[in-house]
Structure formats: C-alpha cells, structure tokens
Amino acid sequence: MLAAVHGWVGRHRVAVLCGWLVLVACAVPFALRQSDHLTGGGFAVDDSASARVEHAVLHGIPVNYRPATLGVVLVAPRGTPRADYAAATRGVQRAVRGVRHVSWVSQNGDLAQFFARTRPGKPVVLPLLLDADEYHAPDIAKHLRDRLGLDTSGGGRFGAVQVHLVGAGALWAGMVDLTRDDLAHAERIGFPIVALILFLVFGALAAAVLPLAIGAVSIVVTGALTALLARHVDLTFYVPNTASMIGLGVAVDYSLFVVVRFREELRDDATAEAARATAMATSGTAVLFSGFAVVLALAALLVVPTAAVRSMAVGAIMVVLVAMLACSTLLPALLSLLGRRIGPAKPNAAAFRRWSEVVVGHPRVSLALALLVLLALALPLLGIRTGDGALRQFPKGNETLAGVKAAQEVRGAGESSPLKILVAPRDTDRAVAIVRHDPEVVRTGLRARTRDKKYIFLVVTPKHDPDSIAVKDLVRRLRAELPRGSLVGGDTATQVDFNHAILGSLWKIGVWILLATFLLLTLMLRAPLLALQAVLANILSVGAALGILTLIKVTFSGSDGYVDTVTIPVIMAVVFGLSMDYEVFLLSRIRERHLAGVGTSDAVLQGIAGSARTITGAALVMVAVFLCFALTGVPVITEIGLGAAVAIALDATLVRLVLVPAAMTLVGPACWWRPGARRAATTTTAA
C-alpha cells in the first residue's frame, strides 16, 4: 500500500507540490494569529474541590460579595501631575467598559479624593469586579490587556503613569504574551542553527534545504490548525511553543532519515526513481512507525484530567501527524523533482565501524558501563520536588511581574489571590476560629450565604503570594483541619489540585506508553525481546534526563528549586516517543541486514556503521532545537527543552551506540525470537 502511495506521488509530483503550496499559502494567515484564541487558563481539575468552589461562588454568590481578583495598578514617579493620573484612570475606565464580565468598583468613584489620599510616587491599585470563574479569568484579562495596550516590554502608558493589570487571571494572561514572544525568538535562533547543522551533515545545500523546508511547512500548517481549533475548544498558551519545538525537531529528523537513504542509494549507482522508491520503502516506512510511536506516547497525556496538559498533547500530536504527512507526500515529490541534483552521500565514516567493533567485541563491559552511567545520572530523581504556578515563570523586567511587585507594595502579597472557603452554616464559628489562628492568614472576611443556603462563603487573605510553598501548605492544612464538608478554593488551591492530578496520573501515563510502544515495536520488528529491550533502554533515557534536570534545578535554585509538575509527564511522553526515532532507524537497519542472512553480531556491526552518522546528525538537530527553546522560553518550556535535549543526547550516543548493540550481541540470535517461530520452522522441516 505504501509503495502504491509513493508511486502515485512520484507520478503526480507537480500536483502534489501545487497542493502543498496552496495549503501553506492558506495556512500562513491563520498561523500568524494562532495565539489570538488561546486561553491562559486550563489548569482547573474536573470535579476537584477548587473547581467545585468556583462553580458554587459563580452561581451562588452575587458579584458585589466576591473578592476583587483583578486590579489595575498605576505606577508613576514623584511629581507626576494629577492630570496624568486622571488620563490614566479615564483610559482604564474606557478599557473596562469594553470588556464583558469586568466592572468598575464603586469605591473608585470619587477619584479626586482617592488620589488625594495617595502618597506621591506610591503605586495606586484600582480593584475591579470579575463576574467569571478562575478558569475564564485569564481570557477576560487577556482581552483587557489588549485594550490597555499592554505587552511584555511595557505599554499602557499615560504620560508619566504606567498601567499594569494584576490578579491571578492577569498573571496567566501575561504568560500568553510572554510565550508568544519566546516562540518568535526561539524560531529566529533555531532555524539558522538547524540549517547550519544540516549543511555540515550533508555537505550539500540542496540536501540541507529539504529537511528544513519540511520542518517549516509542518510548523506553519500546525499553527493554522491550532488557530482554527482554538476557536472551538480550549487550547492553552503552551501549545504553539510545544508544537513548534517538537515539530521542528521531528519534521527535520524524519526528512533527514529519508534524504540520507536516498543519497546512499544514489552513491550505489541507483537511478533517481529507484533511489526514491528504496528510500521511501525503508526509511519512509521507519518514519511512519516512528511517528505513530510518538503519537501513541503523546496520547498518554490525554489521561490527565486538565485542559492544560491535554491541549499540549493535542498540539504536539497535530504537528507530528502533519510532519508524517509531509514526509510521506511532499518530500518524495521534491526528491522526484530534484533527482540526482541532490547529490550522492559521502562514504560512511570508518570511525563508527571501529567503535561498533569495540562495543560488539566487549559486550559485557560495554553494557555494564552504559548501565552504570545511566543509573548514576538518574539517581538525583529520587529527590525530585515538583511545583507549579505563574508568578515565578516571568523574567526580571517583565511588565506583568513589575505590576505584581507594585501591587504587593501597596496591598501585600496575598491580597490579589485570596483563598475562597465554603463551610456549612453550623460550622461557621469553628471554621473562622481555625482560619484566624493560622499564622499564614492575614485577614478573614465573612462575605455571604450562597443562594441555596448550603454554605457560608469566606474570603481568606494569606501573607504570601499564591505560588509560594507557604500558601500551598496553608491550603493543605485548612483542608485537613476545617470541619468535614468544607471546601477550599482559589488560585493556590487550584494549583494544589492541578499538581495532585498530574502526579496521580503518572502511573497511567507510564503504563500506556510502555504497552503502546512495546506493541508497536513488536509489530514492526516482529521480535518481542528486541522490542522489550528498546522499551527498557528508553526508561533509562527518561530517568537519566529527569535526574540531570533535578540536579540542575537544585544546584542553581538551592533548596527551593523544583521541577514544574507539567514537565514530568511531558518529558516522559516526548522523550519516549522521540527516542523511538533512533530506535526504529537503528533496529530497522540491523533487521534489514539480518533478513539478508547476516548473523546477529555482523548485522549489529553493519547496522551501526550504516546508521550511526545519520543518527548523530539527527540528534544534533533535535538537541539544537530543544536547547534553543530551553534558552529562550519560560521555565516550563525551558525544563521541557533541557530535559528532552539531555535525553536525546544520551539516547543517540550512550544508548544507541553502546547499550543497544552490547545487549543485542549478548542475547545473540534470541533477539529475533517470536512466538510460533520454532513451531513454524519444525513444520517446514517436516514437510
């Protein structure tokens, strides 16, 4: 079937190319605006205590009795004219009037007296009422930020007065702008670096341009799909960064494998059409299996009961599928069009042959050393600490962070994100006593009874900011100490529930990934023991990557250093999936030699010699892409990029060039065992 598809593409290459050109041309306008409808929310956990509080407050408490979880901060130096303050306030009022679910607080009405009480040079905080839950607050805040003219560098200035938007929703709205800028920066750096690596790998401009073109097409088309999908479902601001980071690496790697095989066939004097057919039948098939392995691994993230993680999985899956489609249709069409102008491959480097001879010649020592290094690198994972939140994601000098610090100077760290507590009326006095005696609580406000008369709504202001460990511990204490049936919500409670939901889903993600990749590899290689060995090797790669990441966080952040909770499942899925690229490419080469009648040890030698250079080049591309995002992104993207870069580097070197060949040599012909093989062989002999 695949051969028929590739044959059709070769015969209709002009039509295929025109089709892709039209698709890309239509996709570009949408891709440029893919962040317009992305949400800054998506961190609520279905049916959690915090989600139930939000629902009860939204539908059972009048707006005037809810805490003002959004606010505008006016910051100006001493000597600023009152006229500038007045202009800024009028601008804020105009902006607020144009945004649904946000209203002006009546206490801000007499602004002349309000400003008269304000000390010169001291920030002014104007609270706003929000008629929405925390899930939708970031989207409302994003709209308000746009109307105020805010961006990551500042904006929103009226004379000498700088305007900032603060509150839990405003933090995540500011994160949308930040990640959009980070994505543009990472892509500006990443594409030239990848182009340079490809030129060094191929030594020919035409061959180097093809993988880069496939990567660019995959990202643009996925960006358009993201823009269209975000209009109908909740996709978070992490999606473009995740999709671009994974998409660029995957698309370039997949096309690199095919182009390398095409050039190798040209080197062996095959015609251009024969070279294309062979490349697509071998490396092209391996690419499809690799792609499905990545998709299956990423699909494991869909078990996490929160939109933030699920949408990251959706974005990554989309870009992998688009890359697979481009490599299966657009790339062979380009190969057919360019033909021998791409140029033949260089001879395989003798160094890889000598290296494989050392490993195969000393398999026990090689295996022991590889295992020792990987286990030692994974050791710090035993002390991993996880956390999440928006505040610590912002770099110094960011507009949103400046607004938060200015507001804290006036109101304290916990005022903008209070805890929301629902208690039964009969337990109110006891609950208030417990809350007021907690050292982390600054103030307790008794607000209102819910419309259904089931709860009393309490607002609790903590000492520290909502992302702090102290407030998260406060949430856990209150949930343990308050009367049975009480519910604790608010931004920090949402973070606690989010953290718990992800960590509680890790075992499901792990089981899904292990089973799915094992079955897919068994189907492709028809060798269960070889598939099992590959899965175990990938477990070591993931463990070593997370161990190194933990060590880096502790080293540079001290005892307060933690790995973002989102990072762990994403790295598990991404690394497990992407490691299969090199696993499939290497093992398919070895299996190809085995099917040609070569013994296991010689098949390993020839497989490594024929694929090591390609795997090394592909890994360099992937590592470079991930590091570009690691160096320019917010901490979550930085951690994912750094962890994936480390894992890919280890996988392409220590695992693929040492551990796998050593293990296969030790196991010998048993690598290729499959159920029923002996029975089939016996039947054939008897016949």
PDB file of all heavy atoms in Angstrom, residues 608-623:
ATOM      1  N   ILE A 608      25.058  -0.403  12.714  1.00  0.00           N
ATOM      2  CA  ILE A 608      25.625   0.794  13.352  1.00  0.00           C
ATOM      3  C   ILE A 608      26.458   1.581  12.351  1.00  0.00           C
ATOM      4  O   ILE A 608      26.354   2.815  12.258  1.00  0.00           O
ATOM      5  CB  ILE A 608      26.482   0.400  14.577  1.00  0.00           C
ATOM      6  CG1 ILE A 608      25.589  -0.177  15.680  1.00  0.00           C
ATOM      7  CG2 ILE A 608      27.244   1.613  15.100  1.00  0.00           C
ATOM      8  CD1 ILE A 608      26.348  -0.640  16.892  1.00  0.00           C
ATOM      9  N   ALA A 609      27.285   0.882  11.597  1.00  0.00           N
ATOM     10  CA  ALA A 609      28.133   1.574  10.627  1.00  0.00           C
ATOM     11  C   ALA A 609      27.300   2.336   9.606  1.00  0.00           C
ATOM     12  O   ALA A 609      27.679   3.431   9.167  1.00  0.00           O
ATOM     13  CB  ALA A 609      29.041   0.556   9.925  1.00  0.00           C
ATOM     14  N   GLY A 610      26.142   1.773   9.240  1.00  0.00           N
ATOM     15  CA  GLY A 610      25.321   2.416   8.227  1.00  0.00           C
ATOM     16  C   GLY A 610      24.394   3.498   8.750  1.00  0.00           C
ATOM     17  O   GLY A 610      23.885   4.301   7.971  1.00  0.00           O
ATOM     18  N   SER A 611      24.153   3.513  10.055  1.00  0.00           N
ATOM     19  CA  SER A 611      23.164   4.455  10.596  1.00  0.00           C
ATOM     20  C   SER A 611      23.713   5.435  11.619  1.00  0.00           C
ATOM     21  O   SER A 611      23.059   6.436  11.915  1.00  0.00           O
ATOM     22  CB  SER A 611      22.011   3.673  11.240  1.00  0.00           C
ATOM     23  OG  SER A 611      22.474   2.925  12.356  1.00  0.00           O
ATOM     24  N   ALA A 612      24.891   5.164  12.181  1.00  0.00           N
ATOM     25  CA  ALA A 612      25.392   5.987  13.290  1.00  0.00           C
ATOM     26  C   ALA A 612      25.576   7.446  12.888  1.00  0.00           C
ATOM     27  O   ALA A 612      25.241   8.358  13.653  1.00  0.00           O
ATOM     28  CB  ALA A 612      26.712   5.418  13.807  1.00  0.00           C
ATOM     29  N   ARG A 613      26.105   7.662  11.686  1.00  0.00           N
ATOM     30  CA  ARG A 613      26.323   9.045  11.249  1.00  0.00           C
ATOM     31  C   ARG A 613      24.994   9.789  11.113  1.00  0.00           C
ATOM     32  O   ARG A 613      24.868  10.948  11.526  1.00  0.00           O
ATOM     33  CB  ARG A 613      27.072   9.048   9.921  1.00  0.00           C
ATOM     34  CG  ARG A 613      27.349  10.440   9.390  1.00  0.00           C
ATOM     35  CD  ARG A 613      28.189  10.370   8.138  1.00  0.00           C
ATOM     36  NE  ARG A 613      28.421  11.698   7.587  1.00  0.00           N
ATOM     37  CZ  ARG A 613      29.197  11.943   6.541  1.00  0.00           C
ATOM     38  NH1 ARG A 613      29.832  10.953   5.948  1.00  0.00           N
ATOM     39  NH2 ARG A 613      29.355  13.172   6.100  1.00  0.00           N
ATOM     40  N   THR A 614      23.999   9.097  10.552  1.00  0.00           N
ATOM     41  CA  THR A 614      22.688   9.725  10.390  1.00  0.00           C
ATOM     42  C   THR A 614      22.050  10.004  11.745  1.00  0.00           C
ATOM     43  O   THR A 614      21.487  11.079  11.974  1.00  0.00           O
ATOM     44  CB  THR A 614      21.765   8.813   9.565  1.00  0.00           C
ATOM     45  OG1 THR A 614      22.410   8.498   8.335  1.00  0.00           O
ATOM     46  CG2 THR A 614      20.444   9.498   9.302  1.00  0.00           C
ATOM     47  N   ILE A 615      22.120   9.028  12.656  1.00  0.00           N
ATOM     48  CA  ILE A 615      21.541   9.212  13.989  1.00  0.00           C
ATOM     49  C   ILE A 615      22.224  10.360  14.710  1.00  0.00           C
ATOM     50  O   ILE A 615      21.571  11.185  15.367  1.00  0.00           O
ATOM     51  CB  ILE A 615      21.660   7.901  14.800  1.00  0.00           C
ATOM     52  CG1 ILE A 615      20.710   6.853  14.226  1.00  0.00           C
ATOM     53  CG2 ILE A 615      21.365   8.146  16.271  1.00  0.00           C
ATOM     54  CD1 ILE A 615      20.806   5.499  14.892  1.00  0.00           C
ATOM     55  N   THR A 616      23.542  10.438  14.578  1.00  0.00           N
ATOM     56  CA  THR A 616      24.274  11.527  15.232  1.00  0.00           C
ATOM     57  C   THR A 616      23.852  12.884  14.680  1.00  0.00           C
ATOM     58  O   THR A 616      23.622  13.836  15.434  1.00  0.00           O
ATOM     59  CB  THR A 616      25.795  11.336  15.041  1.00  0.00           C
ATOM     60  OG1 THR A 616      26.179  10.062  15.564  1.00  0.00           O
ATOM     61  CG2 THR A 616      26.564  12.428  15.764  1.00  0.00           C
ATOM     62  N   GLY A 617      23.738  12.983  13.354  1.00  0.00           N
ATOM     63  CA  GLY A 617      23.302  14.240  12.751  1.00  0.00           C
ATOM     64  C   GLY A 617      21.888  14.602  13.157  1.00  0.00           C
ATOM     65  O   GLY A 617      21.585  15.763  13.478  1.00  0.00           O
ATOM     66  N   ALA A 618      20.989  13.604  13.151  1.00  0.00           N
ATOM     67  CA  ALA A 618      19.603  13.855  13.552  1.00  0.00           C
ATOM     68  C   ALA A 618      19.525  14.284  15.004  1.00  0.00           C
ATOM     69  O   ALA A 618      18.758  15.187  15.371  1.00  0.00           O
ATOM     70  CB  ALA A 618      18.764  12.598  13.321  1.00  0.00           C
ATOM     71  N   ALA A 619      20.325  13.642  15.853  1.00  0.00           N
ATOM     72  CA  ALA A 619      20.330  14.006  17.273  1.00  0.00           C
ATOM     73  C   ALA A 619      20.856  15.420  17.476  1.00  0.00           C
ATOM     74  O   ALA A 619      20.345  16.162  18.329  1.00  0.00           O
ATOM     75  CB  ALA A 619      21.177  13.007  18.060  1.00  0.00           C
ATOM     76  N   LEU A 620      21.878  15.799  16.709  1.00  0.00           N
ATOM     77  CA  LEU A 620      22.392  17.172  16.800  1.00  0.00           C
ATOM     78  C   LEU A 620      21.301  18.181  16.473  1.00  0.00           C
ATOM     79  O   LEU A 620      21.161  19.215  17.142  1.00  0.00           O
ATOM     80  CB  LEU A 620      23.577  17.355  15.852  1.00  0.00           C
ATOM     81  CG  LEU A 620      24.928  16.844  16.325  1.00  0.00           C
ATOM     82  CD1 LEU A 620      25.967  16.976  15.212  1.00  0.00           C
ATOM     83  CD2 LEU A 620      25.391  17.618  17.559  1.00  0.00           C
ATOM     84  N   VAL A 621      20.510  17.882  15.448  1.00  0.00           N
ATOM     85  CA  VAL A 621      19.402  18.766  15.080  1.00  0.00           C
ATOM     86  C   VAL A 621      18.403  18.865  16.221  1.00  0.00           C
ATOM     87  O   VAL A 621      17.997  19.954  16.635  1.00  0.00           O
ATOM     88  CB  VAL A 621      18.705  18.256  13.801  1.00  0.00           C
ATOM     89  CG1 VAL A 621      17.405  19.015  13.565  1.00  0.00           C
ATOM     90  CG2 VAL A 621      19.625  18.408  12.602  1.00  0.00           C
ATOM     91  N   MET A 622      17.996  17.707  16.741  1.00  0.00           N
ATOM     92  CA  MET A 622      16.991  17.682  17.798  1.00  0.00           C
ATOM     93  C   MET A 622      17.490  18.389  19.052  1.00  0.00           C
ATOM     94  O   MET A 622      16.764  19.170  19.670  1.00  0.00           O
ATOM     95  CB  MET A 622      16.618  16.239  18.116  1.00  0.00           C
ATOM     96  CG  MET A 622      15.358  16.076  18.925  1.00  0.00           C
ATOM     97  SD  MET A 622      13.862  16.233  17.933  1.00  0.00           S
ATOM     98  CE  MET A 622      13.759  14.610  17.192  1.00  0.00           C
ATOM     99  N   VAL A 623      18.719  18.129  19.439  1.00  0.00           N
ATOM    100  CA  VAL A 623      19.287  18.767  20.630  1.00  0.00           C
ATOM    101  C   VAL A 623      19.370  20.276  20.437  1.00  0.00           C
ATOM    102  O   VAL A 623      19.046  21.058  21.348  1.00  0.00           O
ATOM    103  CB  VAL A 623      20.681  18.176  20.952  1.00  0.00           C
ATOM    104  CG1 VAL A 623      21.393  19.007  22.018  1.00  0.00           C
ATOM    105  CG2 VAL A 623      20.536  16.730  21.428  1.00  0.00           C
TER     106      VAL A 623
END
